[in-house]
Amino acid sequence: MHIRRGYLGWGVFLVLTGAVPLAVRSGYLTDDQIGRLWTLWPLILVGVGVGLILNRTRLDFLGGLIVAATLGLMAGGLLSSGIGTLTTGACGQDSGTESFPARDGTFAGDGSSVDVQINCGDVTIGVGAGNGWRVEGSDAKGVGPTIDATETSLRIRPTEHNGTSFWALGQRDTWQVTLPNAVPVEVDLQLNAGQTTVGLAGAQVQGFRLDLNAGSATVDLTSVEGIGGFDVTLNAGSVGVTLPNTSMTGSIVANAGAVRLCAPAGAGLRLRTGDSIIASYDYGGHDLIQDSSIWTTPGFDSAPVQIDLETKANAGSFALDPEDGCD
């Protein structure tokens, strides 16, 4: 049998990219082991070096195989669980320890917007009683974020420390944002490297939007009073979403990452998927009926709670009601 060397590297890459998620599903690899796959990146340099040393010899293909195998293992880890474990330490060594002065305010309008962006940090978003909001936390110098607020809007942005903000090598910012339950809010959250925990129990959510770039997120919609729209985009990350016991429509797009969905008992689900060959959808075993790219609960049209979501992965995975939950 003759093996064409031009395709050998691609073959190794694709085999390992698919083998890692299969090993995870079969229980041969743990989440901790998957997280450590990213530490193999120095092998890419080794492979390049081996290729240079063996250039114009019969073994000149070995360097390319090392690179292909390393990239395949890393890509397989990404498809399995995203890169939330990588980003925890990629943009800062420790969380800031100096508390900044808390900021408070109130919303007066019938509907208000909340726009939060954090670069390299951890943010927790919760809900409190009344129509007031609050921002507290810590960072490297106790400065706090830049906040612009009116009676109907709240905008939170990182304050640069020593001329650096994104991918900083110093400490990560840590914010706690409390939103009101008495005023309908539209939430727009952008996370660039870091972690976020969002719990919106009791909130009147007019709309929720999350852009996650190299990070991890947990979104709990269990006890929202209502939700008008839901839009999540992942660019290299992982997210767990606990869906509400109320009807909703929305979209979750994973350009590179892993999504975990947890649905309430008795809810009618309609999950629309994409057609990427490097995406996986673990929707089987939940009594859903598949029709081409749509998975639907029997009797969806008459269900008291109807959840209709576009779940599209360009390079990643979706799992419904995973054993380890969505936290």
Side-chain angles (χ1 to χ4, degrees):
M1 180 178 66
H2 177 69
I3 298 177
R4 297 184 62 179
R5 292 185 178 181
Y7 296 112
L8 187 58
W10 277 110
V12 170
F13 170 79
L14 292 173
V15 166
L16 291 176
T17 299
V20 171
L22 288 175
V24 172
R25 290 189 184 182
S26 301
Y28 294 114
L29 290 177
T30 65
D31 290 342
D32 183 61
Q33 291 170 325
I34 289 297
R36 289 201 295 269
L37 289 177
W38 291 95
T39 64
L40 297 177
W41 67 265
L43 287 176
I44 297 175
L45 302 180
V46 173
V48 174
V50 169
L52 292 174
I53 293 172
L54 298 179
N55 187 32
R56 297 187 179 181
T57 71
R58 292 183 178 180
L59 300 177
D60 60 355
F61 64 92
L62 288 179
L65 285 185
I66 294 174
V67 173
T70 304
L71 291 174
L73 290 170
M74 295 171 66
L78 175 62
L79 291 179
S80 299
S81 61
I83 64 170
T85 54
L86 172 69
T87 59
T88 300
C91 69
Q93 300 173 358
D94 299 292
S95 296
T97 56
E98 186 171 347
S99 298
F100 55 77
R103 293 278 301 276
D104 302 272
T106 58
F107 290 137
D110 292 334
S112 299
S113 63
V114 178
D115 186 350
V116 181
Q117 176 185 323
I118 188 167
N119 300 333
C120 181
D122 305 328
V123 58
T124 300
I125 297 180
V127 176
N131 63 345
W133 55 264
R134 183 178 179 86
V135 180
E136 53 194 326
S138 60
D139 54 34
K141 294 188 175 183
V143 176
T146 298
I147 297 177
D148 296 316
T150 69
E151 292 184 345
T152 58
S153 67
L154 173 64
R155 187 173 185 267
I156 307 172
R157 290 292 185 271
T159 300
E160 293 189 359
H161 306 298
N162 296 326
T164 62
S165 56
F166 188 51
W167 301 113
L169 297 178
Q171 295 176 323
R172 301 192 305 274
D173 293 346
T174 302
W175 302 346
Q176 293 87 42
V177 181
T178 302
L179 304 179
N181 66 356
V183 178
V185 292
E186 184 167 346
V187 181
D188 193 330
L189 173 60
Q190 180 177 337
L191 177 67
N192 299 317
Q195 302 178 26
T196 184
T197 300
V198 181
L200 298 177
Q204 306 173 51
V205 185
Q206 289 183 319
F208 179 87
R209 182 172 182 267
L210 169 64
D211 285 324
L212 183 61
N213 302 307
S216 62
T218 300
V219 182
D220 189 350
L221 304 175
T222 304
S223 301
V224 295
E225 290 298 315
I227 181 165
F230 187 77
D231 184 4
V232 173
T233 301
L234 280 73
N235 298 305
S238 63
V239 62
V241 180
T242 302
L243 298 169
N245 195 26
T246 185
S247 297
M248 66 173 290
T249 61
S251 171
I252 305 176
V253 178
N255 292 316
V259 181
R260 306 179 309 279
L261 299 174
C262 292
L269 302 177
R270 178 180 288 153
L271 305 176
R272 309 170 190 271
T273 66
D275 55 4
S276 172
I277 62 173
I278 54 174
S280 66
Y281 301 92
D282 186 7
Y283 294 161
H286 297 85
D287 297 326
L288 272 66
I289 299 174
Q290 183 181 10
D291 181 6
S292 184
S293 62
I294 302 176
W295 297 72
T296 309
T297 301
F300 172 84
D301 292 333
S302 60
V305 174
Q306 299 178 351
I307 297 176
D308 191 336
L309 294 176
E310 177 188 16
T311 58
K312 180 180 179 182
N314 295 312
S317 63
F318 280 79
L320 178 61
D321 293 328
E323 291 185 0
D324 55 352
C326 293
D327 295 334

Coordinates of all heavy atoms in Angstrom, one line a residue, residues 100 115-119 121-125 135-139 144-146 156-159 161 172-177 189-190 195 197:
F100 N -12.6 48.0 45.2 CA -12.9 49.4 44.8 C -14.2 49.8 45.3 O -15.1 49.0 45.7 CB -12.9 49.5 43.2 CG -13.8 48.5 42.5 CD1 -15.2 48.8 42.5 CD2 -13.4 47.4 41.9 CE1 -16.1 47.9 41.8 CE2 -14.2 46.5 41.2 CZ -15.6 46.8 41.2
D115 N -25.3 47.1 29.7 CA -24.2 46.8 28.8 C -22.9 46.6 29.6 O -22.4 47.6 30.1 CB -24.1 47.9 27.7 CG -23.1 47.5 26.6 OD1 -22.4 46.5 26.7 OD2 -23.1 48.3 25.6
V116 N -22.4 45.4 29.6 CA -21.3 45.1 30.4 C -20.2 44.5 29.5 O -20.5 43.5 28.8 CB -21.6 44.1 31.6 CG1 -20.3 43.8 32.4 CG2 -22.7 44.6 32.4
Q117 N -19.0 45.0 29.6 CA -17.8 44.4 28.9 C -16.7 44.3 29.9 O -16.4 45.2 30.6 CB -17.4 45.3 27.7 CG -16.1 44.8 27.0 CD -15.6 45.7 26.0 OE1 -16.4 46.3 25.2 NE2 -14.3 45.8 25.8
I118 N -16.1 43.1 30.0 CA -15.0 42.9 30.8 C -13.9 42.2 30.0 O -14.2 41.2 29.3 CB -15.3 42.1 32.1 CG1 -14.1 42.0 33.0 CG2 -15.9 40.7 31.7 CD1 -14.5 41.5 34.4
N119 N -12.7 42.7 30.1 CA -11.5 42.1 29.4 C -10.6 41.5 30.5 O -10.0 42.2 31.3 CB -10.8 43.2 28.6 CG -11.6 43.9 27.6 OD1 -12.6 43.3 27.1 ND2 -11.4 45.1 27.3
G121 N -11.1 38.9 33.1 CA -11.6 39.0 34.5 C -12.7 38.1 34.7 O -13.1 37.2 33.9
D122 N -13.3 38.2 35.9 CA -14.4 37.3 36.3 C -15.5 38.3 36.7 O -15.3 39.2 37.5 CB -14.0 36.5 37.6 CG -12.8 35.6 37.3 OD1 -12.6 35.2 36.2 OD2 -12.0 35.4 38.3
V123 N -16.7 38.0 36.2 CA -17.9 38.8 36.5 C -19.1 37.9 36.9 O -19.3 36.9 36.3 CB -18.2 39.7 35.3 CG1 -18.6 38.9 34.1 CG2 -19.4 40.6 35.6
T124 N -19.7 38.3 38.0 CA -20.9 37.7 38.4 C -22.1 38.6 38.3 O -22.0 39.8 38.8 CB -20.8 37.2 39.9 OG1 -19.6 36.3 40.0 CG2 -22.0 36.5 40.4
I125 N -23.2 38.2 37.7 CA -24.3 39.0 37.5 C -25.5 38.4 38.2 O -25.8 37.2 38.0 CB -24.7 39.2 36.0 CG1 -23.5 40.0 35.3 CG2 -26.0 40.0 35.9 CD1 -23.8 40.2 33.9
V135 N -22.7 47.9 41.6 CA -21.5 47.3 41.0 C -20.4 47.4 42.1 O -20.1 48.4 42.7 CB -21.0 48.1 39.8 CG1 -19.7 47.5 39.2 CG2 -22.1 48.1 38.7
E136 N -19.8 46.2 42.4 CA -18.7 46.1 43.4 C -17.7 45.1 43.0 O -17.9 44.4 42.0 CB -19.3 45.8 44.8 CG -20.2 44.5 44.8 CD -21.0 44.4 46.1 OE1 -20.5 44.9 47.1 OE2 -22.1 43.9 46.0
G137 N -16.6 45.0 43.7 CA -15.6 44.0 43.4 C -14.2 44.5 43.7 O -14.0 45.3 44.6
S138 N -13.2 43.9 43.0 CA -11.8 44.3 43.2 C -11.0 44.2 42.0 O -11.4 43.6 41.0 CB -11.3 43.3 44.3 OG -11.3 41.9 43.8
D139 N -9.9 44.8 42.0 CA -8.9 44.8 40.9 C -7.5 45.0 41.5 O -7.3 45.1 42.7 CB -9.3 45.7 39.8 CG -9.5 47.2 40.2 OD1 -8.7 47.6 41.1 OD2 -10.3 47.9 39.6
G144 N -11.6 50.2 40.0 CA -13.0 49.8 39.5 C -13.2 50.1 38.1 O -12.4 50.8 37.4
P145 N -14.3 49.7 37.5 CA -14.6 49.9 36.1 C -15.1 51.3 35.8 O -15.4 52.0 36.8 CB -15.6 48.9 35.8 CG -16.4 48.7 37.1 CD -15.3 48.8 38.2
T146 N -15.1 51.7 34.6 CA -15.7 52.9 34.1 C -17.2 52.7 34.0 O -17.6 51.8 33.2 CB -15.1 53.4 32.8 OG1 -13.7 53.6 33.0 CG2 -15.8 54.7 32.4
I156 N -20.9 49.5 31.6 CA -19.8 49.2 32.5 C -18.6 48.7 31.5 O -18.8 47.8 30.7 CB -20.1 48.1 33.5 CG1 -21.3 48.4 34.3 CG2 -18.9 47.8 34.4 CD1 -21.8 47.3 35.2
R157 N -17.5 49.4 31.7 CA -16.3 49.1 30.9 C -15.1 49.0 31.7 O -15.0 49.7 32.8 CB -16.1 50.2 29.8 CG -17.2 50.2 28.7 CD -17.1 48.9 27.8 NE -18.0 48.9 26.7 CZ -19.2 48.4 26.7 NH1 -19.7 48.0 27.8 NH2 -19.9 48.4 25.6
P158 N -14.1 48.2 31.3 CA -12.9 48.1 32.1 C -12.1 49.4 32.1 O -12.1 50.1 31.1 CB -12.1 47.0 31.5 CG -12.6 46.9 30.1 CD -14.1 47.3 30.1
T159 N -11.4 49.8 33.2 CA -10.5 50.9 33.2 C -9.1 50.4 33.0 O -8.7 49.4 33.7 CB -10.6 51.6 34.6 OG1 -12.0 52.1 34.8 CG2 -9.7 52.8 34.7
H161 N -5.3 49.8 33.4 CA -4.3 49.9 34.5 C -2.9 49.9 33.9 O -2.5 48.9 33.3 CB -4.5 48.7 35.5 CG -5.9 48.5 36.0 ND1 -6.5 49.5 36.7 CD2 -6.8 47.5 35.8 CE1 -7.8 49.1 37.0 NE2 -7.9 47.9 36.5
R172 N -6.4 39.8 37.4 CA -7.6 39.9 36.7 C -8.6 40.8 37.5 O -8.6 40.8 38.8 CB -8.2 38.5 36.5 CG -7.4 37.6 35.7 CD -8.1 36.4 35.2 NE -8.7 35.7 36.3 CZ -8.1 34.7 37.0 NH1 -6.8 34.5 36.8 NH2 -8.7 34.1 38.0
D173 N -9.5 41.5 36.8 CA -10.6 42.2 37.5 C -11.6 41.2 38.0 O -11.9 40.2 37.3 CB -11.2 43.2 36.6 CG -10.3 44.3 36.2 OD1 -9.2 44.5 36.9 OD2 -10.6 45.1 35.2
T174 N -12.3 41.5 39.1 CA -13.4 40.8 39.6 C -14.6 41.7 39.9 O -14.4 42.6 40.7 CB -13.0 40.0 40.9 OG1 -11.9 39.1 40.6 CG2 -14.2 39.2 41.4
W175 N -15.7 41.5 39.2 CA -16.9 42.4 39.4 C -18.1 41.5 39.9 O -18.2 40.4 39.5 CB -17.2 43.1 38.1 CG -16.2 43.9 37.5 CD1 -15.0 44.3 38.0 CD2 -16.2 44.4 36.1 NE1 -14.3 45.1 37.1 CE2 -15.0 45.1 35.9 CE3 -17.1 44.3 35.1 CZ2 -14.7 45.8 34.8 CZ3 -16.8 44.9 33.9 CH2 -15.6 45.7 33.7
Q176 N -18.9 42.2 40.7 CA -20.2 41.7 41.0 C -21.2 42.7 40.6 O -21.2 43.9 41.2 CB -20.4 41.3 42.5 CG -19.5 40.2 43.0 CD -18.1 40.6 43.4 OE1 -17.9 41.6 44.0 NE2 -17.1 39.8 43.0
V177 N -22.1 42.4 39.7 CA -23.1 43.3 39.2 C -24.5 42.8 39.6 O -24.9 41.7 39.3 CB -23.1 43.5 37.7 CG1 -24.1 44.4 37.2 CG2 -21.7 43.9 37.2
L189 N -23.9 41.4 27.4 CA -22.6 41.0 28.1 C -21.6 40.6 27.1 O -21.8 39.7 26.3 CB -22.9 39.9 29.1 CG -21.7 39.3 29.9 CD1 -20.9 40.4 30.6 CD2 -22.1 38.2 30.8
Q190 N -20.4 41.2 27.2 CA -19.3 40.8 26.3 C -18.1 40.4 27.2 O -17.6 41.2 28.0 CB -18.8 41.9 25.4 CG -17.7 41.5 24.5 CD -17.3 42.6 23.5 OE1 -18.1 43.4 23.1 NE2 -16.0 42.5 23.0
Q195 N -14.2 34.5 33.0 CA -15.3 33.7 33.4 C -16.5 34.6 33.8 O -16.2 35.6 34.4 CB -14.9 32.8 34.6 CG -13.7 31.9 34.3 CD -13.3 31.0 35.5 OE1 -14.2 30.7 36.4 NE2 -12.1 30.6 35.6
T197 N -20.6 34.2 35.7 CA -21.7 33.5 36.2 C -22.9 34.4 36.2 O -22.9 35.5 36.8 CB -21.4 33.0 37.6 OG1 -20.3 32.1 37.6 CG2 -22.6 32.2 38.2

